[in-house]
Amino acid sequence: MISIPTNPLSDGARAVVRRLTEKGFTALWAGGCVRDLIMGRAPKDFDVATSAVPDQVERLFPGAVTVGKSFGVVRVRVQTHEYEVATFRKDQAYRDGRHPEGVVFTDEQTDAQRRDFTVNALFLDPLTGAVRDYVGGQADLAARLIRAVGRPDDRFVEDHLRMMRAVRFAATLDFKLDPAMADAIRRHAPQIEKVSAERLQQELTRILLEAPQPGVAIELLQAVGLLPVILPEVSALRGQEQPTQFHPEGDVWTHTIMMLNAMRQPDLRLAYAVLLHDVGKPGTAKFVENRIRFDCHAGVGATLAEGILKRLRLPNDDIKAIAFCIGNHMRFMDVQRMRKATLCRLVGAPTFATELELHRLDCAASHGDMTNHAFLVAFQAARRAEPVLPKPWITGHDILSLGVTAGREIGRWKQMVYDAQLEGLVENREAALAWLRRELAAAGR
Ligand code: ATP
Ligand code: MG
């Protein structure tokens, strides 16, 4: 028996089930919410599966919107929350490695068979707390395993995206892949190419942002053969040597994986900047005087990253920001030698927070020297503490040299010319002096 939380979201989901049940239909919570509840996590949404067909669901819930009648999905609203109510179904033949030709309405056992993984194929009756498990999902949850429902080869041929989903669930839940299923992914990995870039990117982004250890997840994508297909530029970091003096941790791949694992609640820009910050290294590596160098790898990497992210259909402003962070990342080594104006521009850039964190991770996952990071943090703090008012261009000394001698008079003129400066009546010190001379003459001095 599962204890059901009480909050507006789950109460609404229970009300949907109760209404359908009262009318004689079977209705159950299904999929991710059941998995999350058994794991003691709070589901972020609740899906209902039912024996009622879409027309019947629509009649029971005024204002219901059918989102895909042929797929049997109706969106139902209870107060402020929405729920997807889907008729128990079975998918017909898959056409394009992603979408079934249509669906046939069926019973709950058969509905469980069309779901991707056993831990996602559980049902829960929220009125009794009883779990209905037709696929061994509870045992796999306890063993922390992602296992395909049915024969993995068949399931990945039907829908190639499931390969990415398998890794995503393993990564975000911190589960292992069932070994037989991992073998099947290895066999079918090249087909991931046929999946739309948008859907691929969605899964990759969720892996990077939601996995507790995104580096481990990228290693898993590599281990099952998906990474060489979707991000060959990142796969190529494996075995790319670098100077041990700066990189005692190992090759560029190891360095990148360590950085990914060390991220703290990254946003999209940081995550992709970390993943791709050194993609310019393999192409620029050269031995000079027995030492390996990567001249211009940041700039080359920025250009490569732009191409990769366009291919993955990230939003344009994110692509620009990420490429900028990558192109700029080696400049952080020189911050202590920079002129103040250069530093101000660096710190004032809209991407600076991301860049600073990229730099911190870069150092933490290599030589560990945080001097430049500390310097920038201190510079930023000092700059924030600076007075918002600019320095006056005209001093009491200037006024005295123009012939005003009385202390109180000097104070008054100083105030007036400073006001002129603040109001923008004068553009610079020269203009301020001219203004002062004119005003003094007008006042008969
Ligand atoms: P989350 O929402 O946290 O990503 P979820 O399990 O709710 O996890 P959804 O993508 O919302 O995942 O899908 C809901 C349910 O629909 C899944 O639990 C699974 O049973 C089924 N499902 C989703 N996508 C597929 C697919 N490509 N193939 C088979 N079944 C799927
Ligand atoms: Mg969901």
Side-chain angles (χ1 to χ4, degrees), residues 32-33 35 44-45 47 206:
C33 64
R35 175 197 71 219
K44 60 176 170 14
D45 50 32
D47 297 328
R206 290 193 65 179

Side-chain angles (χ1 to χ4, degrees), residues 55-67:
D55 286 336
Q56 294 169 320
V57 177
E58 276 176 28
R59 259 177 264 135
L60 284 178
F61 298 92
V65 184
T66 299
V67 277

Side-chain angles (χ1 to χ4, degrees), residues 253-295:
W253 169 262
T254 305
H255 168 65
T256 303
I257 297 297
M258 283 173 65
M259 281 174 74
L260 287 167
N261 285 336
M263 295 189 300
R264 310 189 271 229
Q265 297 184 308
D267 62 9
L268 176 122
R269 291 181 181 186
L270 179 69
Y272 279 98
V274 168
L275 180 67
L276 302 177
H277 79 289
D278 273 348
V279 288
K281 278 192 169 176
T284 55
K286 267 200 311 243
F287 268 99
V288 183
E289 289 160 10
N290 240 358
R291 202 193 133 212
I292 194 158
R293 302 179 52 120
F294 307 98
D295 291 342

Side-chain angles (χ1 to χ4, degrees), residues 68-370:
K69 195 165 233 166
S70 57
F71 290 94
V73 182
V74 180
R75 190 164 289 148
V76 165
R77 174 176 277 276
V78 179
Q79 280 157 7
T80 52
H81 296 289
E82 284 200 336
Y83 305 91
E84 281 195 353
V85 180
T87 310
F88 295 132
R89 69 184 201 239
K90 173 180 165 173
D91 296 327
Q92 286 178 327
Y94 279 71
R95 187 177 1 137
D96 54 357
R98 181 75 192 98
H99 305 101
E101 307 250 342
V103 302
V104 185
F105 297 140
T106 167
D107 55 23
E108 65 195 76
Q109 284 98 320
T110 316
D111 184 278
Q113 302 305 319
R114 67 145 180 111
R115 294 177 183 267
D116 46 7
F117 308 112
T118 60
V119 296
N120 284 351
L122 295 165
F123 299 105
L124 172 64
D125 181 344
L127 307 180
T128 63
V131 174
R132 303 200 196 169
D133 180 1
Y134 303 101
V135 293
Q138 289 178 105
D140 287 336
L141 261 184
R144 303 180 79 82
L145 269 184
I146 303 296
R147 183 199 307 275
V149 174
R151 289 180 42 193
D153 286 282
D154 298 347
R155 305 313 306 283
F156 295 136
V157 169
E158 282 172 4
D159 179 354
H160 311 319
L161 185 69
R162 287 177 189 147
M163 296 188 279
M164 283 298 285
R165 285 175 59 88
V167 174
R168 196 247 293 173
F169 285 114
T172 55
L173 301 171
D174 191 18
F175 279 25
K176 294 268 180 282
L177 296 179
D178 159 52
M181 187 187 69
D183 287 341
I185 298 180
R186 255 173 236 118
R187 285 191 287 275
H188 297 281
Q191 290 160 332
I192 199 67
E193 226 169 34
K194 297 188 202 142
V195 172
S196 82
E198 284 84 355
R199 286 297 288 115
L200 199 67
Q201 188 251 108
Q202 259 176 23
E203 294 296 333
L204 181 63
T205 300
R206 290 193 65 179
I207 288 173
L208 290 170
L209 301 191
E210 294 173 32
Q213 303 236 80
V216 172
I218 294 295
E219 287 179 313
L220 183 56
L221 280 175
Q222 175 65 35
V224 296
L226 288 167
L227 198 69
V229 186
I230 60 175
L231 285 171
E233 302 87 345
V234 176
S235 269
L237 304 178
R238 293 162 74 240
Q240 176 56 63
E241 281 179 55
Q242 38 186 359
T244 48
Q245 171 197 3
F246 302 116
H247 288 285
E249 77 283 7
D251 63 11
V252 182
W253 169 262
T254 305
H255 168 65
T256 303
I257 297 297
M258 283 173 65
M259 281 174 74
L260 287 167
N261 285 336
M263 295 189 300
R264 310 189 271 229
Q265 297 184 308
D267 62 9
L268 176 122
R269 291 181 181 186
L270 179 69
Y272 279 98
V274 168
L275 180 67
L276 302 177
H277 79 289
D278 273 348
V279 288
K281 278 192 169 176
T284 55
K286 267 200 311 243
F287 268 99
V288 183
E289 289 160 10
N290 240 358
R291 202 193 133 212
I292 194 158
R293 302 179 52 120
F294 307 98
D295 291 342
C296 306
H297 82 268
V300 170
T303 308
L304 274 174
E306 211 173 316
I308 295 166
L309 297 173
K310 278 204 178 115
R311 190 174 81 211
L312 287 173
R313 307 258 199 284
L314 254 78
N316 263 323
D317 52 342
D318 291 322
I319 296 180
K320 279 210 192 99
I322 295 162
F324 182 83
C325 293
I326 294 173
N328 219 25
H329 83 276
M330 291 308 285
R331 290 184 66 214
F332 279 64
M333 309 300 162
D334 304 324
V335 289
Q336 297 189 67
R337 291 184 289 276
M338 280 180 186
R339 290 168 47 208
K340 187 167 179 203
T342 314
L343 270 175
C344 284
R345 270 196 299 278
L346 185 88
V347 171
T351 46
F352 183 69
T354 309
E355 293 183 82
L356 184 64
E357 184 60 2
L358 176 65
H359 173 72
R360 186 187 72 78
L361 292 161
D362 205 359
C363 299
S366 55
H367 48 70
D369 182 347
M370 291 295 163

